[in-house]
Amino acid sequence: EAGVAQSPRYKIIEKRQSVAFWCNPISGHATLYWYQQILGQGPKLLIQFQNNGVVDDSQLPKDRFSAERLKGVDSTLKIQPAKLEDSAVYLCASSKLAGNTDTQYFGPGTRLTVL
Amino acid sequence: AQKVTQAQTEISVVEKEDVTLDCVYETRDTTYYLFWYKQPPSGELVFLIRRNSFDEQNEISGRYSWNFQKSTSSFNFTITASQVVDSAVYFCVRGDSWGKLQFGAGTQVVVTP
């Protein structure tokens, strides 16, 4: 079974530019998560989708971050405009079911550097 | 926020030694879930084990074992006979009934030949 796919793996941009990340979850997984992991810290949840609806986006900085999951499968996370403090690894995860803490499986992440 | 504390920042061992990682969590929930994830240098988070709050049975899975003590809110993890490939950051994670995960800060394990 294929795992969670993410692209690109690495991205370097200047501050105030925009960037987008893509995630393809494990086939059949209803729930998709985006996390931000700053160097030396544990991942922090940004947004949780169940199918194509948002379950929790309370930690998403909505003035600059946006995410969508059209058709309940793939998802994109966008940052516009980027700030220096957005430098981090962005991890996508998926789980089969929602609400009962079914195990989340993570992708390889996208490492973002903002200069 | 209900914290997960991993007091050990880094542990260094020689191959074949056992490694025990400590984890203490806070919770106000009756039902919750505990996990250990491994993050090797490649960056991908790899699921290792999961425990439900209503099941305190401790188990062994290959070289991995865990000790869940609800009375002390601890969920310690042991790697037996460590190998170089075990070198990674290990995260203790608490999950609630809505799928929200709270990660500890991680413990770096370094296994030298």
Side-chain angles (χ1 to χ4, degrees), chain A residues 37 43 48 99 101 103-104 106, chain B residues 33 37 39 44 50 96-97 99:
Chain A
Q37 185 178 20
Q48 175 184 349
T101 316
T103 299
Q104 295 181 28
F106 286 79
Chain B
Y33 306 84
Y37 281 86
Q39 189 170 43
E44 185 165 348
R50 166 196 172 117
D96 64 20
S97 298

Side-chain angles (χ1 to χ4, degrees), chain A residues 44-73:
Chain A
K44 183 187 79 172
L45 178 69
L46 291 175
I47 189 167
Q48 175 184 349
F49 291 95
Q50 181 175 345
N51 297 309
N52 59 349
V54 175
V55 174
D56 182 356
D57 64 356
S58 57
Q59 300 293 311
L60 188 74
K62 297 181 188 65
D63 57 334
R64 299 184 298 106
F65 285 64
S66 64
E68 60 182 9
R69 190 183 184 198
L70 300 176
K71 301 181 183 176
V73 182

Side-chain angles (χ1 to χ4, degrees), chain B residues 26-86:
Chain B
E26 297 175 1
T27 187
R28 292 184 290 273
D29 300 328
T30 305
T31 300
Y32 53 92
Y33 306 84
L34 299 168
F35 305 82
W36 278 96
Y37 281 86
K38 170 184 177 181
Q39 189 170 43
S42 60
E44 185 165 348
L45 274 164
V46 179
F47 164 72
L48 297 177
I49 57 172
R50 166 196 172 117
R51 212 72 207 146
N52 304 329
S53 59
F54 44 85
D55 183 1
E56 282 191 79
Q57 184 178 352
N58 295 310
E59 291 185 18
I60 297 173
S61 175
R63 294 187 299 111
Y64 300 150
S65 63
W66 51 95
N67 187 340
F68 178 24
Q69 297 282 343
K70 221 168 165 179
S71 60
T72 56
S73 297
S74 65
F75 186 51
N76 298 339
F77 176 68
T78 297
I79 305 171
T80 302
S82 61
Q83 301 173 1
V84 173
V85 293
D86 295 327

